[in-house]
Amino acid sequence: MDSRFVIAFLFLSCWVATGKTDHLKYKDPKQPLNTRINDLLSRMTLAEKIGQMAQIATANATAEVIAGNFVGSVLSGGGGVPAPKASVEVWVNMVNEMQKGALSTRLGIPIIYGIDAVHGHNSVYNATIFPHNVGLGATRDPSLVKRIGAATALEVRATGIPYVFAPCVAVCRDPRWGRCFESYSEDTKVVEMMTEIIPGLQGDIPMTSSKGVPFVSGKKKVAACAKHFVGDGGTHLGINENNTIVNFHDLLSIHMPPYYHAIIKGVSTVMISFSSWNGIKMHQNRYLITDFLKNKLRFRGFVISDWQGIDKITTPPHANYTYSILSGILAGIDMVMIPFDYPEFIEDLTFLVNQNFIPMSRINDAVRRILRVKFTVGLFENPFADYSLAAEVGKREHRELAREAVRKSLVLLKNGKTGKNPLLPLPKNAKKILVAGSHAHNLGYQCGGWTIEWQGLGGNNLTIGTTLLDAIMTTVEPNTEVVYFENPDAYSLNNSEFAYAIVAVGEQPYAESFGDNLNLTIPAPGPSTIQNVCSSVKCVVVLISGRPLVIEPYIEQIDAMVAAWLPGTEGQGITDVLFGDYGFSGKLSRTWFRSVDQLPMNVGDPHYDPLYPFGFGLTTEPSRTS
């Protein structure tokens, strides 16, 4: 054989072998994380990198669109479901079909699918719906919240989804804000405490792990998202997406500390707030996103925009989209939530990079962070979901956990008109009792916003759960007559001989700006129901709401008053405490104001004059007969 041919053959063989080994580096789980990231990043074209920075809505996310645009992520917004009451199998099949599109591309980079799971897997039929954060803050129980995070992660993973837009770590300083129920407390320390949900969702970060590096411990955990960075709970007048007017010291001492704790616990992503800080939109605030969050706090996960968040950099939104992309990306946003306008985003961002308005180093930083999270989640090794966790959705153990959370979240504000003759706990063996109010038998009202639909729903057909009336019926003795009137008039109650009445009233579901409310009164017919019932029968009022409401006009005629917040699907948790199987233990995580004229008013303020102060909550002992 010709020696030149032998030499050429050996060289070619070595080149092929080297190339093959090199090619597999980013797909080799035995390689160090940074080696895998660097290897993959070095192979990517600009189009592939920009695709990774795009997160599009489910409605647009066909396998062809994902493959054709190298899309990096897909999301379900509130109500973004494959079909009404879709089964676990339908969810898994949808996500896997999208994943096939991503894996069919040249480099086969998997998508990361994200969903709002803010009080359980709240978009999914039959999932366990836990109390909203305002109630969980009243428990003062971080271990409970961690268990809720773990249960939520299992139910989310069961549907094939590895990423959740939770927790909200806003410090709500004004209950007029429509997202206040998403905040654990007005007090920074309570919100810090509740960041323990992050290791519940993601797993406990190893002691040896570098701080600031994202961590997800396996296929039964999900990547979490601390939101909304930063100051969203402090906007002027509590108006959603408004301006937070505080100095840097107050921003750092009130609104920033939960992010320190989230980052230390290995949170994978941080979502930017729609709001502004002293007139500067957070989506274009380079100082806070890049200089502070990324460089000073050494956060190594990726930063994601909110829904069409960069559009709102301009007024009106989308007025100068090229400018919005330029300022948002230069500020440090890595992944952009562009549910509908992804072709324009991709075209404009490509133009901005090619014309050197955005340096390649900024694109590489964004993609490096996105890939780091994807590798950490394990998507390269396990891109597809299966049905093995299907039984986790709405399972009994999770519902029992939610029931525990409900009873620990209830705050007893009043018990007996004189204080010497408590009404609670209620006897189970009364001859005849009344249940009344718009919220007594309405699962949708009980769950609130962010349940099946973005704004929530009324009625009992949205998902599976137990209303307060259902729970009462199964708790009292079989020979107790339970009479239910949604809104009884005073005449119908005359000479009715009720031993007592349970009245459930409150807010209808809402989310975000739709919940902004400058008067915070109990919606009709709640006040008339309280008036009609409590003037005739000994009554306990159960207030179901996302925040404190004005109750001073009615409190004198009420025998007992319970703040139940937005308890979710497990109404049995309320009756557990009303009837004395467990004692009341919840403490206000929010100041209960007398009048909206006092707002904003938070514990420690010089003008502090609440109806019930922060931390208030009467306690009861379990009934011996129970």
Side-chain angles (χ1 to χ4, degrees), residues 122-140:
N122 49 254
S123 293
V124 173
Y125 184 76
N126 193 38
T128 309
I129 305 299
F130 294 92
H132 268 297
N133 289 354
V134 65
L136 296 180
T139 71
R140 302 294 200 280

Side-chain angles (χ1 to χ4, degrees), residues 66 71-74 95 98-99 102 109-113 162 374 379:
I66 291 168
V71 169
S73 185
V74 179
V95 176
M98 294 177 188
Q99 195 66 277
I109 304 172
I111 59 164
I112 183 166
Y113 195 108
K374 289 186 175 185
L379 288 172

Side-chain angles (χ1 to χ4, degrees), residues 50-171:
I50 287 175
Q52 285 301 301
M53 298 170 68
Q55 183 181 69
I56 68 174
T58 299
N60 302 317
T62 64
E64 292 74 22
V65 166
I66 291 168
N69 295 278
F70 308 108
V71 169
S73 185
V74 179
L75 85 153
S76 280
V81 300
K85 299 185 179 181
S87 66
V88 167
E89 290 78 8
V90 169
W91 277 95
V92 169
N93 292 342
M94 178 190 73
V95 176
N96 282 348
E97 193 62 32
M98 294 177 188
Q99 195 66 277
K100 289 176 185 176
L103 297 180
S104 71
T105 58
R106 181 178 73 95
L107 296 173
I109 304 172
I111 59 164
I112 183 166
Y113 195 108
I115 194 166
D116 284 288
V118 300
H119 62 144
H121 200 6
N122 49 254
S123 293
V124 173
Y125 184 76
N126 193 38
T128 309
I129 305 299
F130 294 92
H132 268 297
N133 289 354
V134 65
L136 296 180
T139 71
R140 302 294 200 280
D141 190 341
S143 64
L144 171 69
V145 170
K146 183 177 181 180
R147 286 184 286 141
I148 289 172
T152 300
L154 283 169
E155 297 206 13
V156 171
R157 276 289 198 171
T159 56
I161 297 171
Y163 177 28
V164 298
F165 306 123
C168 177
V169 294
V171 182

Side-chain angles (χ1 to χ4, degrees), residues 13-312:
S13 299
C14 291
W15 180 81
V16 169
T18 303
K20 185 177 181 181
T21 303
D22 185 47
H23 174 71
L24 294 176
K25 271 187 183 178
Y26 76 90
K27 293 187 176 182
D28 181 3
K30 296 178 182 179
Q31 294 288 335
L33 176 61
N34 284 333
T35 299
R36 300 180 77 184
I37 295 171
N38 290 336
D39 179 61
L40 180 50
L41 195 62
S42 70
R43 301 174 186 280
M44 295 174 71
T45 64
L46 177 60
E48 288 164 332
K49 291 176 181 178
I50 287 175
Q52 285 301 301
M53 298 170 68
Q55 183 181 69
I56 68 174
T58 299
N60 302 317
T62 64
E64 292 74 22
V65 166
I66 291 168
N69 295 278
F70 308 108
V71 169
S73 185
V74 179
L75 85 153
S76 280
V81 300
K85 299 185 179 181
S87 66
V88 167
E89 290 78 8
V90 169
W91 277 95
V92 169
N93 292 342
M94 178 190 73
V95 176
N96 282 348
E97 193 62 32
M98 294 177 188
Q99 195 66 277
K100 289 176 185 176
L103 297 180
S104 71
T105 58
R106 181 178 73 95
L107 296 173
I109 304 172
I111 59 164
I112 183 166
Y113 195 108
I115 194 166
D116 284 288
V118 300
H119 62 144
H121 200 6
N122 49 254
S123 293
V124 173
Y125 184 76
N126 193 38
T128 309
I129 305 299
F130 294 92
H132 268 297
N133 289 354
V134 65
L136 296 180
T139 71
R140 302 294 200 280
D141 190 341
S143 64
L144 171 69
V145 170
K146 183 177 181 180
R147 286 184 286 141
I148 289 172
T152 300
L154 283 169
E155 297 206 13
V156 171
R157 276 289 198 171
T159 56
I161 297 171
Y163 177 28
V164 298
F165 306 123
C168 177
V169 294
V171 182
C172 175
R173 304 292 284 177
D174 193 325
R176 292 174 292 188
W177 184 39
R179 304 194 80 151
C180 204
F181 67 78
E182 297 184 54
S183 168
Y184 293 106
S185 180
E186 72 188 40
D187 182 75
T188 307
K189 294 294 183 185
V190 174
V191 181
E192 286 177 13
M193 186 190 307
M194 295 302 168
T195 60
E196 194 63 11
I197 194 172
I198 292 169
L201 291 164
Q202 297 193 154
D204 289 301
I205 190 166
M207 295 294 291
T208 55
S209 179
S210 300
K211 298 299 182 283
V213 176
F215 175 79
V216 179
S217 68
K219 291 165 62 176
K220 294 183 178 181
K221 297 294 183 180
V222 293
C225 178
K227 64 183 189 181
H228 309 86
F229 188 83
V230 59
D232 52 336
T235 57
H236 182 58
L237 300 178
I239 297 171
N240 192 44
E241 304 182 17
N242 202 7
N243 190 21
T244 298
I245 307 168
V246 294
N247 60 35
F248 190 49
H249 176 271
D250 285 348
L251 188 76
L252 292 188
S253 61
I254 296 172
H255 299 284
M256 193 70 78
Y259 290 95
Y260 308 155
H261 288 256
I263 291 166
I264 289 169
K265 292 172 182 177
V267 74
S268 296
T269 70
V270 170
M271 185 184 292
I272 302 303
S273 176
F274 284 128
S275 58
S276 303
W277 175 49
N278 294 336
I280 301 173
K281 293 275 190 180
M282 275 305 310
H283 274 76
Q284 62 178 159
N285 196 314
R286 177 180 168 82
Y287 172 71
L288 287 176
I289 297 173
T290 295
D291 296 346
F292 197 86
L293 176 64
K294 289 184 172 181
N295 296 340
K296 190 172 185 66
L297 300 186
R298 298 189 59 78
F299 172 62
R300 291 292 176 265
F302 69 77
V303 173
I304 186 168
S305 81
D306 207 333
W307 180 279
Q308 295 180 318
I310 63 167
D311 299 51
K312 297 184 180 184

